[in-house]
């Protein structure tokens, strides 16, 4: 019997609940070609052409395979400028599974982050959150806010096996409120499965405690719902009292403790584009609905085509099925287990959407300002054509006040698994490539940044090898 993850009584506990109807060929390139492509891309995997990539683990955002039902839904797109039927299907799905009363669609997650930040943050206010995310923090800062990290310390430790490393530290949050006063807090920003910490979940107990503290001080609580379905899976598997509850029920309960959420539909919702912001308060909704027409589009499409809203409404229903999410996270954990078995340093426990390699442990000889995780992403691409991304000092950017690099404790390289796209054999190819790069780790040399854009530099920065 094969050794599989989550094995129960000698039988596999999960397999993909679908079969493949259409395939897309992959391009397998030579090392020489990859060397040329990487140099041309300034050693930044974001600047590679996808035709030069073999297995694409840059992101799980907008890279899912849609189901035949979703493609059929695309044919039912009602492309009316106003009042598209597909908007009402989407609104119904968000109300049913995420609990919120009012929905404003956006072109993707950062469109939603922009709207909520502009509406709810006043100049000089503080936004506490469970670790930063690149676009979320930037929109909070651009609206005049200051992000403060109140995640538990374990989140910054790659080797801590805390089951809910995404939790907010209640004492840190309480202290912040005491120091600055509740009026100075715009809202608490809580993300499910914290991306930059390695896809680490938040427990139900923690959101309840955060909610109680917020209520005590009259502070709003908003969620980044981008990977909340994945978060619900961890609650089901790890938290007492939830083993027999469905993902659907857990998701709904989790959202019910918040005042609203923003969403990048490109992840959990199994679509290639789209997002939303949803709230319960009528007045906040009114402001969001007014602002969306300035930046995104009318409040019944907000930057999405009717067909995209239909595919999203169907994707939401598919995404909350237990069998789907078991297979999705089962595949990520399969790759993690292969790497752990080979002693490769990764963030533990394995999170929901990706494997995060610990670049500091790969390359202790490369100083952080020579970009170890960027170097690791480049070297894995060179080895096999597998494309991942940097999640370390480059992603962290510069402090807006001092202009210095921010030096995050976590210097990680992310191998992100798209949903319903790759097979177990691909996971093995990826693991073999990571191992080959790990075995050659002592030869690696760092990079220097030769071009740095002002915002979200990791997307477009260019590098050269240090001499
Ligand atoms: O890429 P957007 O604009 O649809 O969504 C922004 C966004 C918001 N929150 C979180 C937790 C994200 O992970 C996120 C986007 N993430 C990307 C693109 C990623 O590769 O992780």
């Amino acid at each position: 019997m094969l050794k599989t993850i989550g094995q129960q009584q000698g039988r596999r506990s999960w397999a993909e609940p679908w079969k493949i109807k259409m395939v897309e060929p992959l391009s397998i390139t030579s090392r020489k070609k990859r060397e040329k492509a990487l140099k041309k891309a300034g050693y930044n995997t974001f600047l590679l052409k996808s035709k030069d990539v073999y297995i694409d683990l840059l992101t799980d955002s907008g890279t899912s395979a849609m189901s035949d039902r979703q493609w059929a839904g695309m044919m039912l797109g009602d492309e009316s400028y106003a009042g598209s039927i597909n908007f009402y299907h989407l609104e119904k799905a968000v109300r049913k599974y995420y609990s919120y009363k009012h929905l404003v669609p956006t072109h993707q997650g950062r469109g939603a982050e922009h709207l909520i930040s502009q509406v709810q943050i006043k100049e000089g206010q503080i936004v506490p959150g469970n670790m930063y995310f690149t676009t979320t923090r930037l929109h909070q800062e651009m609206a005049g806010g200051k992000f403060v990290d109140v995640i538990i310390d374990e989140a910054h430790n790659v080797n801590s096996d805390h089951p809910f490393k995404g939790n907010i530290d209640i004492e840190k949050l309480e202290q912040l409120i005491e120091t600055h006063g509740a009026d100075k807090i715009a809202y608490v920003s809580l993300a499910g499965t914290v991306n930059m910490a390695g896809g680490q979940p938040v427990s139900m107990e923690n959101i309840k405690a955060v909610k109680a503290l917020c209520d005590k001080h009259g502070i709003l609580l908003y969620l980044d719902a981008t990977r909340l379905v994945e978060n619900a899976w961890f609650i089901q598997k790890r938290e007492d009292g939830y083993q027999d509850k469905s993902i659907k029920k857990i998701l709904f309960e989790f959202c019910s403790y918040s005042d609203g959420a923003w969403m990048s539909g490109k992840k959990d919702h199994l679509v290639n584009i789209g997002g939303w912001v949803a709230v319960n308060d009528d007045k906040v909704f009114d402001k969001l609905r007014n602002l969306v027409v300035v930046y995104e589009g009318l409040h019944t499409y907000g930057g999405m085509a009717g067909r995209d809203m239909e595919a999203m409404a169907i994707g939401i229903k598919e995404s909350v099925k237990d069998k789907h999410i078991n297979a999705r996270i089962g595949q990520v954990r399969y790759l993690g287990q292969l790497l752990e078995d080979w002693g490769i340093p990764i963030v533990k426990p394995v999170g929901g959407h990706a494997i995060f390699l610990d670049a500091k442990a790969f390359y202790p000889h490369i100083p952080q300002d020579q970009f170890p995780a960027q170097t690791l992403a480049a070297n894995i691409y060179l080895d096999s054509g597998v494309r991942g991304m940097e999640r370390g000092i480059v992603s962290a950017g510069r402090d807006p006040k001092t202009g210095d690099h921010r030096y995050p404790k976590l210097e990680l390289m992310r191998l992100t698994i798209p949903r319903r796209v790759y097979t177990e054999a691909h996971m093995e190819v990826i693991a073999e490539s990571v191992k080959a790069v790990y075995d050659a780790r002592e030869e690696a040399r760092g990079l220097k940044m030769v071009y740095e854009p002002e915002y979200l530099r990791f997307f477009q920065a260019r590098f050269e090898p240090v001499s």
Side-chain angles (χ1 to χ4, degrees):
M1 179 78 60
L2 283 168
K3 185 172 176 243
T4 58
I5 312 305
Q7 213 177 58
Q8 285 169 353
Q9 293 151 4
R11 302 286 289 265
R12 282 193 72 108
S13 62
W14 64 272
E16 289 78 3
W18 37 259
K19 57 184 177 174
I20 298 165
K21 189 171 336 212
M22 190 187 277
V23 296
E24 179 183 339
L26 294 174
S27 59
I28 301 175
T29 55
S30 64
R31 175 149 187 136
K32 210 163 164 206
K33 202 163 166 219
R34 290 196 292 276
E35 276 168 8
K36 224 170 128 189
L38 189 67
K39 195 167 174 203
K40 206 164 164 207
Y43 295 82
N44 185 348
T45 50
F46 275 101
L47 300 178
L48 287 165
K49 292 184 178 162
S50 67
K51 72 173 180 56
D52 296 324
V53 172
Y54 171 31
I55 298 174
D56 202 348
L57 308 184
L58 186 69
T59 177
D60 62 333
S61 181
T63 52
S64 293
M66 292 209 296
S67 68
D68 53 359
R69 315 295 135 128
Q70 286 176 290
W71 281 108
M74 297 283 279
M75 296 306 292
L76 302 176
D78 166 8
E79 307 306 340
S80 307
Y81 190 90
S84 160
I85 188 71
N86 313 118
F87 166 76
Y88 297 103
H89 293 163
L90 179 60
E91 183 182 55
K92 198 170 155 197
V94 172
R95 279 186 183 150
K96 180 171 173 188
Y97 297 107
Y98 288 82
S99 86
Y100 305 114
K101 194 168 156 197
H102 301 297
L103 176 79
V104 175
T106 59
H107 76 283
Q108 62 181 81
R110 68 201 72 180
E113 288 170 339
H114 175 219
L115 299 183
I116 195 84
S117 302
Q118 290 296 328
V119 165
Q120 291 297 57
I121 300 172
K122 290 195 208 93
E123 185 69 39
Q125 278 189 318
I126 288 167
V127 191
N130 53 343
M131 200 173 273
Y132 86 99
F133 182 71
T134 54
T135 57
T136 318
R137 180 175 64 190
L138 183 60
H139 279 296
Q140 290 165 349
E141 286 172 353
M142 289 175 97
K146 182 177 184 301
F147 173 83
V148 177
D149 189 4
V150 290
I151 203 165
I152 57 170
D153 290 342
E154 287 86 341
H156 295 279
N157 174 358
V158 283
N159 293 313
S160 160
D161 61 0
H162 192 293
F164 291 102
K165 278 167 100 172
N167 281 354
I168 280 186
D169 185 324
I170 301 296
E171 267 177 39
K172 280 188 200 166
L173 181 57
E174 223 162 4
Q175 191 64 53
L176 196 73
I177 299 170
E178 219 165 85
T179 308
H180 298 278
D183 289 350
K184 202 81 201 283
I185 310 286
Y187 55 85
V188 172
S189 169
L190 180 71
T193 62
V194 180
N195 195 350
M196 304 303 279
Q200 302 296 331
V202 177
S203 69
M204 198 69 88
E205 191 188 3
N206 189 247
I207 191 176
K208 281 195 214 171
V210 173
K211 167 77 175 153
L213 186 59
C214 285
D215 281 353
K216 188 171 142 198
H217 295 279
I219 296 170
L220 296 167
L221 171 58
Y222 288 118
L223 302 182
D224 182 332
T226 297
R227 297 183 184 86
L228 264 192
V229 178
E230 292 172 3
N231 199 84
W233 185 89
F234 287 102
I235 290 175
Q236 190 188 57
K237 297 292 174 254
R238 294 183 184 164
E239 197 161 351
D240 284 347
Y242 288 92
Q243 273 75 11
D244 297 325
K245 293 211 166 122
S246 65
I247 292 295
K248 250 191 259 180
K249 278 221 166 87
I250 297 170
L251 176 68
F252 191 92
E253 183 187 337
F254 199 91
C255 293
S256 74
Y257 299 123
S258 69
D259 297 286
W262 62 89
M263 178 79 194
S264 168
K266 301 170 74 173
K267 283 81 163 176
D268 270 355
H269 289 351
L270 301 165
V271 288
N272 307 120
I273 194 71
W276 49 260
V277 48
V279 293
N280 291 326
D281 186 274
D282 297 346
K283 287 200 182 107
V284 176
F285 171 56
D286 219 41
K287 286 187 193 164
L288 290 167
R289 195 165 68 149
N290 194 207
L291 208 58
V292 76
V293 298
V294 181
Y295 292 105
E296 302 275 323
L298 194 75
H299 56 275
T300 55
Y301 74 86
M304 270 191 279
R307 62 182 84 99
D308 293 327
M309 291 190 282
E310 191 63 28
M312 186 182 275
I314 298 167
I316 291 175
K317 283 178 218 144
E318 293 179 1
S319 73
V320 297
K321 293 202 165 127
D322 288 47
K323 281 203 171 102
H324 158 73
I325 197 70
N326 270 337
R328 189 286 185 277
I329 298 184
Q331 187 179 48
V332 176
R333 287 158 63 86
Y334 177 70
L335 175 58
Q337 192 67 56
L338 290 174
L339 296 174
E340 273 194 68
D341 287 351
W342 287 339
I344 290 167
I346 63 172
V347 173
K348 285 175 231 157
V350 168
H353 66 304
I355 300 300
F356 288 72
L357 305 176
D358 179 6
K360 280 187 183 169
F362 261 73
Y363 299 145
H365 57 290
I366 300 181
Q368 200 169 10
D369 60 6
Q370 288 182 12
F371 314 112
Q374 189 78 32
T375 306
L376 184 52
N379 286 342
I380 290 176
Y381 172 73
L382 280 180
D383 178 75
S384 59
V386 169
R387 163 159 77 170
M389 75 146 95
E390 195 264 9
R391 295 273 76 156
I393 186 171
V394 185
S395 296
R398 289 181 186 273
D399 185 299
K401 284 231 167 80
T402 64
D404 293 339
H405 288 306
R406 289 165 163 137
Y407 286 85
K409 280 207 189 104
L410 300 176
E411 178 69 24
L412 308 174
M413 188 261 163
R414 190 180 75 175
L415 298 165
T416 338
I417 312 300
R419 296 165 184 79
R420 307 194 294 206
V421 172
Y422 293 113
T423 67
E424 223 165 84
H426 289 121
M427 297 304 117
E428 289 169 14
V429 168
I430 296 157
E432 284 169 1
S433 176
V434 173
K435 182 164 187 321
V437 172
Y438 186 60
D439 290 345
R441 61 193 178 277
E442 280 164 22
E443 294 152 33
R445 296 288 163 266
L447 296 167
K448 61 177 183 228
M449 201 187 294
V450 293
Y451 166 69
E452 180 176 358
E454 187 177 354
Y455 300 117
L456 303 172
R457 62 183 184 177
F458 57 95
F459 282 129
Q460 292 152 340
R462 299 183 71 84
F463 302 83
E464 278 171 11
V466 291
S467 46

